[in-house]
Amino acid sequence: MSELYIRVAEDENEEPMEIPSEDDGTILLSSVAAQFPGACGLRYRNPESQCMRGVRLVEGVLHAPENDWGNLVYVVNYPKDNKRKMDEIDAASAVKVKRGFQKTSDLIVLGLPWKTSEQDLKDYFTTFGEVIMVQVKRDLKTGNSKGFGFVRFTEYETQTKVIAQRHMIDGRWCDCKLPNSKAGPDEPMRSRKIFVGRCTEDMTTDELRQYFMQYGEVTDVFIPKPFRAFAFVTFADDQSGLWQ
DNA sequence: GTTGAGCGTT
């Protein structure tokens, strides 16, 4: 199969953008993410059932359904945010899942010059997008900077951009990263394995996989035998099984 | 009064 372009849109009603395929007819998730930062997969409306289906994603490579992308418009998937407690999802309510707002996180800013103030930080980061807050961590006694701080942006896109590059701040190269030790109630619990309740007996592992694929790469589907009206779906990463 | 990988008093 030679190079072709498939149409991808942020939403079914949005203007599609053409994304190039690879020589073997697959599409790289990175090609999609280049146009839609933060994308974690694709889905499409099955012309026969009129249901949304996920596009198979294996190790960053998207595979055409039935080996043919056809003339469909594919819709971008983004990691969803979870407002629910724990990881419970009703299969019945999953149909109501919509594109979730992506919550931003505090970013740690490493390598700050000793002299850099919060105003300096704010002035610098505002050039990327709207800033919610900045902090410079200081020794409480002396008031000296500890050489690192935090920043939070309004837009997730801004955060993605800021993490992706190095920053020259007051004459030093600095890095912005997602902090690790953050067990605050601020962030939702993340899990790669979700509980799917209210399953009906006719649901198959393949059907569940087909459905949940649209939210990320599915690595496992577990349905207890005999029938127990629930299932577990496991994703490849912890950003996918989050909903609202 | 120094320093240069890391992980946030409220």
Side-chain angles (χ1 to χ4, degrees), chain A residues 9 12 53 59 73 92 115 147 151 175 228 233:
Chain A
E12 284 189 277
R53 276 199 168 186
E59 288 168 358
V73 173
K115 55 173 259 210
V151 60
D175 294 301
R228 297 252 272 139
V233 174

Side-chain angles (χ1 to χ4, degrees), chain A residues 3 20 29 34 42 54 78 94 126 175 178 208 210 220 224 237 242-243:
Chain A
E3 178 179 75
L29 180 58
L42 291 177
Y78 295 96
T126 300
D175 294 301
L178 290 165
L208 287 174
Q210 293 266 345
D220 188 55
D237 66 81
L242 304 176
W243 324 77

Side-chain angles (χ1 to χ4, degrees), chain A residues 98-131:
Chain A
K98 56 180 188 291
R99 182 212 198 285
F101 163 76
Q102 300 189 44
K103 209 166 84 171
T104 58
S105 318
D106 291 357
L107 300 180
I108 188 164
V109 189
L110 268 0
L112 288 175
W114 313 115
K115 55 173 259 210
T116 299
S117 68
E118 296 194 339
Q119 188 60 51
D120 295 334
L121 267 194
K122 180 153 190 173
D123 291 344
Y124 173 77
F125 283 116
T126 300
T127 63
F128 292 86
E130 192 184 342
V131 168

Side-chain angles (χ1 to χ4, degrees), chain A residues 108-178:
Chain A
I108 188 164
V109 189
L110 268 0
L112 288 175
W114 313 115
K115 55 173 259 210
T116 299
S117 68
E118 296 194 339
Q119 188 60 51
D120 295 334
L121 267 194
K122 180 153 190 173
D123 291 344
Y124 173 77
F125 283 116
T126 300
T127 63
F128 292 86
E130 192 184 342
V131 168
I132 296 176
M133 73 87 194
V134 291
Q135 294 176 340
V136 170
K137 291 302 169 190
R138 300 176 179 281
D139 184 291
L140 268 62
K141 271 201 187 123
T142 67
N144 292 334
S145 167
K146 290 181 168 172
F148 71 95
F150 291 87
V151 60
R152 189 159 190 158
F153 295 98
T154 311
E155 301 294 329
Y156 192 83
E157 284 70 20
T158 312
Q159 167 172 326
T160 309
K161 200 163 84 184
V162 165
I163 293 175
Q165 70 174 71
R166 303 250 286 156
H167 302 273
M168 177 59 74
I169 303 176
D170 291 339
R172 267 184 64 94
W173 285 110
C174 304
D175 294 301
C176 296
K177 302 175 178 174
L178 290 165

Side-chain angles (χ1 to χ4, degrees), chain A residues 6 8 19-22 24-43 54-64 69 74-79 213-218 236-237 239-240:
Chain A
I6 68 150
V8 175
I19 307 278
S21 71
E22 300 304 299
D24 61 1
T26 63
I27 291 173
L28 299 178
L29 180 58
S30 56
S31 301
V32 177
Q35 304 304 321
F36 303 93
C40 68
L42 291 177
R43 65 184 186 278
V55 171
R56 192 170 295 278
L57 171 67
V58 182
E59 288 168 358
V61 179
L62 292 152
H63 296 264
W69 293 103
Y74 292 82
V75 181
V76 183
N77 296 330
Y78 295 96
M213 247 162 37
Q214 63 185 294
Y215 303 109
E217 182 173 356
V218 174
D237 66 81
Q239 291 288 311
S240 301

